[in-house]
Amino acid sequence: MGRGSDYRFGAAALFITTGVILAALGFQYIGGYVPCMLCLWERYAYYLAIPLLFIALALTSGGNRGVAAALFYVVALAFLANAILAGYHAGAEWKFWPGPAACGGGESLTTSAGNLLNDLQSIRVMRCDEASLRVAGLSFAGWNVVVSLFLALLCWRAGAEAVRQRRAG
């Protein structure tokens, strides 16, 4: 069975999704950028998308484009929701509105009473309403809005192509 445009759009989405989450993990573990609570929540769409896109690609390769289309659409909706969450996060960073009250950092404190003072000195807390880095005027959250919207469109297109090719027979 030939690989159609639905497969190509889905594969591009999977490639970009994997690259983005690897970059986020690289900034965290290699670059030392501590993610805030919203940053961690924004990763859920990527974690969901990778296995679903992989399954959708396998299904479309096997000719089961109906289920593949449904999975592409689910991923598109996940990225659309993620873009909204990232937009909220970016707005809080620009002080357009307050961030969540509980957003103090992405690391938890697990220590004993004897090491409390030493541990408190080494903990870096990242607030949700402060951008740790801006590139071309956008923070990580701002770039996530752009990328999530692009991925939502790419996955929606993959779903539409799967439906079109299924109908074409």
Side-chain angles (χ1 to χ4, degrees):
M1 174 132 310
R3 292 185 178 157
S5 56
D6 57 341
Y7 186 91
R8 289 191 295 277
F9 285 116
L14 178 59
F15 179 77
I16 294 167
T17 299
T18 304
V20 169
I21 199 63
L22 288 175
L25 292 169
F27 274 105
Q28 179 180 349
Y29 292 108
I30 298 170
Y33 289 91
V34 178
C36 70
M37 177 183 74
L38 289 177
C39 292
L40 294 173
W41 287 358
E42 290 167 38
R43 293 179 184 182
Y44 292 155
Y46 295 91
Y47 296 144
L48 172 75
I50 290 171
L52 290 184
L53 287 171
F54 183 80
I55 293 167
L57 291 174
L59 289 169
T60 195
S61 290
N64 193 345
R65 288 193 158 96
V67 177
L71 291 176
F72 286 135
Y73 288 139
V74 166
V75 174
L77 292 174
F79 278 121
L80 182 60
N82 199 50
I84 293 168
L85 176 62
Y88 166 73
H89 187 183
E93 291 173 342
W94 284 104
K95 310 295 187 230
F96 293 149
W97 44 74
C103 198
E107 292 185 356
S108 62
L109 178 64
T110 55
T111 187
S112 65
N115 294 329
L116 181 62
L117 291 177
N118 289 333
D119 289 344
L120 284 175
Q121 291 175 352
S122 67
I123 291 177
R124 296 183 339 206
V125 175
M126 192 65 212
R127 296 179 44 89
C128 293
D129 60 355
E130 295 175 5
S132 58
L133 175 70
R134 292 193 190 275
V135 176
L138 293 178
S139 65
F140 289 131
W143 281 110
N144 193 21
V145 172
V146 173
V147 172
S148 291
L149 286 174
F150 178 73
L151 286 167
L153 289 172
L154 199 58
C155 291
W156 196 267
R157 179 70 189 268
E161 288 295 317
V163 168
R164 185 187 62 78
Q165 291 175 20
R166 182 173 181 249
R167 287 183 181 154

